[in-house]
Amino acid sequence: MRRAEINGIRLYWDEIPGPFTAHLLVDVGVEDEPFPCLGITGLVEQLALVAVSDGGHGCDGLDSAVNGDHVHFRAVGEPERVAEAVNRLCRALAEPPVNHLAAAVRRVEARQQREERWERFQEHELAFRYGLRGPGKIGWEAPAVEHVGADAVRAWAAERFTRPGAVLLLTGPPPKALDPRLPDGPRTERPVVAALPGTTGCWVEAPCHRDDLAMVSFEGPASPAGHLAAELARGRALRDPGVVADLTGDVEVHSSSVGGGRMLFWLVAETDGAGAAAVGEGLDRILRELAAEGPAEDEIRQTVRTWHDHLDTGERRHALLVTAGLDHLSGLEVHDVASLRARLAALGAADIRGALAAYDSTALLVLPAHCAPVEGSRFVPEPDLLSEDLHEPYAYRPRLFGPVGRHERMYLNDEGLVHWNGHCMRGVRWHQAAGLGVFPSGLRRLFGTKGVALDIHADWYKSGSDLTAAVDARVHPSLRFPMSEGEPI
């Protein structure tokens, strides 16, 4: 892997067999977006794609994706044509063609609807672990993307799509036509978001339509040792009779950076409702054993040899090239094949134990709905993180013929707002407000960083106009945004 710089943009390239491919990664994603502007990164991304496509990109393939912590553009084809597409892409990111904003909104909304049909275990777990903060925003509907204006899109692009936050990756030498230009600007540091109190050590019900997977997630270092620890656990699971007996398929390892040199790792096992609890507990047992005792030396060497064999393939070298770009954006050490081989060869049992040192304090178990861990499990049931209680609040009662049940109440004071539905209390404290959506009808929807959303309408409660005014007065104006009419949550 060779390293260079072009127009102030970091460049990595490797001669890899197959079609010439360029990847442009930019250090901005869903978790960076203010909640009132959720989806704005996708608008910039879609506007750039429209600009390149309108110009006739001439590539065999051009696509992109908005992730939690980065945007990924990919172009495939003849090198000079790919170079021209990358050049136009960067020009469009520097000056988004906002005359196509309405079309970009439709594309972002359509993608959101497609992804909602396939809610993933990881997104569900992230929302529980972080609430509506940082990585927990992934998978949330963009509540007001159609109201994000052209000026906001231009400002976001100028602030976040800059040279210091971009990296370009090529599967061959840089073509002569390559001339990407992005505006200069400061590098924006992403704050490290801690998990919500009370979330770790729990078992969480997965989305109800996923009854074929069990998963254990945990935090570890974003390093070869962290990845090797997860792979060792996967290998043990596939050899463990207590786990294999209840598997219906493979065990996969997934990972995602959470900043500060840390990653979340997921071990996801294909199983069924009858065997999910046993598989989840088996994965937990294996990870605890590795954290306490470490692996045997021959176990490490066998896993490393397997990795070495994979590193010789074009597919793995391509994946390593993309990983190099992600590591660069995260401020981590960038490894080529030679340096990764050397680092893996030096790892021992103590490194694996160190990589799993935070396992016990960060682990989460996710099981299909209506499953429960086996008896004696270390995992406790999912707590009700959304429940809130207030000290001596003022109570708003429902109107006699309003749409709200007669047992319901809204409680408000200087601490926050709580809704009692007759069974449970859901609340948002003012300092944890993520956004306040305002509908044309006057309905307010208050979003909290823990992931709760409360609907408030003046016509629903006695003295409802006072309730609405009190909410408006306590939520900072920067958190207000317009929303289109829809069904109440």
Side-chain angles (χ1 to χ4, degrees), residues 210-214 234-254 267-273 275-276 279 283:
R210 295 312 305 259
D211 59 357
D212 57 347
L213 298 175
R234 174 184 179 272
R236 281 197 178 186
L238 293 174
R239 298 190 301 270
D240 189 294
V243 174
V244 171
D246 289 299
L247 288 178
T248 60
D250 199 2
V251 177
E252 296 182 349
V253 174
H254 301 273
L267 263 65
V268 185
E270 294 178 281
T271 180
D272 54 29
V279 169
L283 294 175

Side-chain angles (χ1 to χ4, degrees), residues 23 83 106-107 118 143 159 223 241 276 293 303 436 442 469 487:
H23 302 270
R106 291 197 300 271
R107 290 188 178 95
W118 300 102
E159 177 185 349
S223 67
E293 304 165 10
T303 304
L436 181 66
E487 291 298 322

Side-chain angles (χ1 to χ4, degrees), residues 1-7 9-25 59 61-62 72-87 89-90 166-180 314-326 328 334-337:
M1 186 188 303
R2 304 188 187 185
R3 311 174 188 216
E5 192 172 284
I6 180 168
N7 298 335
I9 300 173
R10 173 64 66 159
L11 172 67
Y12 297 93
W13 64 275
D14 189 6
E15 295 197 53
I16 301 172
F20 182 82
T21 304
H23 302 270
L24 176 66
L25 309 183
C59 297
L62 177 67
H72 186 166
F73 297 95
R74 183 181 71 100
V76 182
E78 191 274 325
E80 296 300 324
R81 290 184 178 274
V82 167
E84 291 291 349
V86 171
N87 297 344
L89 188 66
C90 289
V167 61
L168 185 59
L169 316 166
L170 305 175
T171 61
K176 292 181 179 179
L178 187 64
D179 187 30
E315 180 182 2
R316 183 58 192 166
R317 284 170 58 192
H318 198 150
L320 185 60
L321 181 66
V322 175
T323 300
L326 294 173
H328 170 78
V334 174
H335 293 282
D336 56 17
V337 172

Side-chain angles (χ1 to χ4, degrees), residues 463-488:
S463 301
S465 58
D466 293 341
L467 171 60
T468 301
V471 171
D472 288 346
R474 287 168 170 82
V475 177
H476 195 275
S478 65
L479 298 179
R480 291 168 60 104
F481 55 90
M483 290 185 69
S484 299
E485 293 292 352
E487 291 298 322

Side-chain angles (χ1 to χ4, degrees), residues 26-28 69 159-160 162-166 184-190 325-332:
V26 186
D27 184 25
V28 58
D69 59 355
E159 177 185 349
R160 302 306 299 257
T162 60
R163 288 197 295 266
D184 198 9
R187 180 70 182 272
T188 305
E189 293 295 329
R190 179 177 291 108
L326 294 173
D327 287 346
H328 170 78
L329 293 182
S330 299
L332 302 173

